[in-house]
Amino acid sequence: MSETTELQGPVVIIGAGLIGASVGCALTAAGIDVRLSDRNPAHAQVAAGRGAGSVDPVDPDEVAVVVAAVPPAALVGVIMAALAQYPNAYVTDVGSVKHRILIRLREQGADLSRYVGSHPMAGSHLSGPISANEDLFADRTWIVAPHEGSTPGAVDTVTALARTCRARVVRMGTADHDRAVAEVSHLPQVVSSVLASGLTGVAPAHLAIAGQGLRDTTRIAGSDPGLWQQILLGNREEVAQEVRRFRARLDDMLEGLEAGYVEPQLAAGVAGTLAIPGKHGGRHEEYARFIVQIPDEQGALARLFVDADRAGVSIEDISIEHDPVKQVGWLSLAVVPEGAERLEKTMTEAGWEIQPPD
């Protein structure tokens, strides 16, 4: 695979939702000629207004790359049409399921030498072109999934597309991709959705005492059900296998509760969190964490970061939990342990009420 291939335009993006429009914004910012298409012309117009490209027509023979950024159920038809309509273009998609799509394309008898599937591992609970962001893929993983019929030029071009969007490219076969996303993306969505579905039966007074932990574990449950049905059913075999494995772990936890001893199950959870790579794919880092009380008023967060900056310590992660009664929030700051004492001293001198690092 060539490391020096440069992306050439024009690039046609079919589907001007969040992902398609964000790809357009990233490519346009890099100087690539992008043309937008969507079954709802208003979406393409909005995406163009966000800097994602142009809705002007283009000569099909001149198109270099086509990106299919449509819902999973429409991918096969759009990819087939793109291969026929743009005879000189390499074609990719940004769908979250790869192997079943490839099988269905083969069943249609398509010449797939110009097709390489891909999948940017980035997104948002927001949707639509209005939420497009040229930085959405920066430093995020983008999987390029060649198949045995892919030409080197197709693989290099799709790789260049991802890198032009400033993503980190990971190359992976289609079957391995679907197994991996079932483990780290699709199962978490299922678990979050099932957990959140039980909250409709919880008394409002009980929900009022919920902390950040509940919000963290149910955040992705707010995603579009229609889209996620397509994703989960498109990868149903792998997802079902992961759900069965998760059910077994839940049964193990239940047995521990009934027996009065759950430390092994909890320790296994800690081990799992440590297995997740840290920043930029590196090893997991242990950080010192401060809890800072912050008033719920304009400019408070900006003042806090100015004071923290004076300590000369890099803040590695943050989260905010709002007090359900008082007009304050609780800001969790994570820093490298060697900077903890300096940050605590600086913040205390600036008048912030903090809890020492754990």
Side-chain angles (χ1 to χ4, degrees):
M1 180 172 61
S2 172
E3 298 289 332
T4 59
T5 298
E6 292 188 6
L7 185 67
Q8 302 295 321
V11 174
V12 169
I13 298 176
I14 305 173
L18 170 67
I19 300 299
S22 294
V23 171
C25 287
L27 297 182
T28 300
I32 304 298
D33 179 10
V34 177
R35 307 302 173 94
L36 302 165
S37 171
D38 195 283
R39 66 177 183 177
N40 184 342
H43 287 179
Q45 291 283 359
V46 171
R50 295 282 294 169
S54 167
V55 295
D56 295 338
V58 61
D59 184 346
D61 291 336
E62 295 181 358
V63 173
V65 184
V66 178
V67 180
V70 298
L75 273 175
V76 171
V78 169
I79 294 168
M80 291 287 294
L83 287 168
Q85 184 176 355
Y86 303 99
N88 300 315
Y90 295 117
V91 178
T92 189
D93 70 279
V94 291
S96 55
V97 177
K98 299 268 79 82
H99 196 59
R100 179 174 286 216
I101 296 297
L102 181 62
I103 290 173
R104 290 177 60 195
L105 287 168
R106 284 174 173 159
E107 291 172 348
Q108 296 289 327
D111 175 5
L112 300 179
S113 61
R114 292 186 286 119
Y115 166 75
V116 176
S118 72
H119 179 200
M121 300 295 290
S124 168
H125 63 286
L126 304 173
S127 62
I130 195 65
S131 303
N133 179 3
E134 70 176 74
D135 297 322
L136 185 65
F137 312 107
D139 296 322
R140 302 295 294 273
T141 298
W142 190 313
I143 299 170
V144 176
H147 55 89
E148 58 269 26
S150 304
T151 63
V155 178
D156 289 349
T157 298
V158 174
T159 299
L161 172 84
R163 288 180 176 149
T164 303
C165 292
R166 295 180 289 143
R168 295 183 296 108
V169 175
V170 172
R171 193 168 167 181
M172 186 178 290
T174 58
D176 288 341
H177 166 276
D178 287 2
R179 188 175 307 114
V181 294
E183 294 168 335
V184 303
S185 176
H186 300 171
L187 179 65
Q189 180 67 45
V190 169
V191 173
S192 181
S193 294
V194 172
L195 177 61
S197 70
L199 299 179
T200 57
V202 175
H206 297 176
L207 288 174
I209 66 170
Q212 193 62 36
L214 183 65
R215 294 179 177 87
D216 289 343
T217 51
T218 59
R219 178 182 57 81
I220 59 175
S223 303
D224 180 1
L227 175 61
W228 269 99
Q229 170 169 277
Q230 294 181 46
I231 293 171
L232 296 177
L233 295 184
N235 200 23
R236 69 181 73 185
E237 292 87 358
E238 296 291 349
V239 175
Q241 180 66 19
E242 292 306 315
V243 170
R244 284 189 286 269
R245 290 172 178 160
F246 181 72
R247 183 172 60 187
R249 294 193 294 274
L250 275 181
D251 287 341
D252 186 47
M253 175 64 82
L254 179 59
E255 291 173 6
L257 288 169
E258 292 173 340
Y261 185 59
V262 296
E263 187 173 346
Q265 292 86 344
L266 297 174
V270 173
T273 64
L274 296 177
I276 301 172
K279 288 202 313 181
H280 311 304
R283 68 181 181 87
H284 181 89
E285 297 281 353
E286 289 292 336
Y287 297 120
R289 296 184 180 274
F290 293 84
I291 303 296
V292 184
Q293 180 176 306
I294 180 169
D296 188 9
E297 61 186 35
Q298 185 175 353
L301 193 59
R303 294 198 307 274
L304 184 145
F305 283 120
V306 168
D307 290 335
D309 184 63
R310 290 194 295 108
V313 177
S314 176
I315 296 175
E316 303 294 336
D317 195 13
I318 64 170
S319 63
I320 301 177
E321 181 174 350
H322 298 281
D323 192 294
V325 178
K326 297 190 296 181
Q327 294 298 306
V328 298
W330 303 96
L331 183 72
S332 173
L333 300 176
V335 301
V336 293
E338 53 267 31
E341 184 176 348
R342 187 161 71 253
L343 181 64
E344 182 179 7
K345 181 176 183 295
T346 300
M347 297 295 287
T348 300
E349 290 175 349
W352 295 98
E353 181 180 332
I354 69 172
Q355 298 176 15
D358 52 22

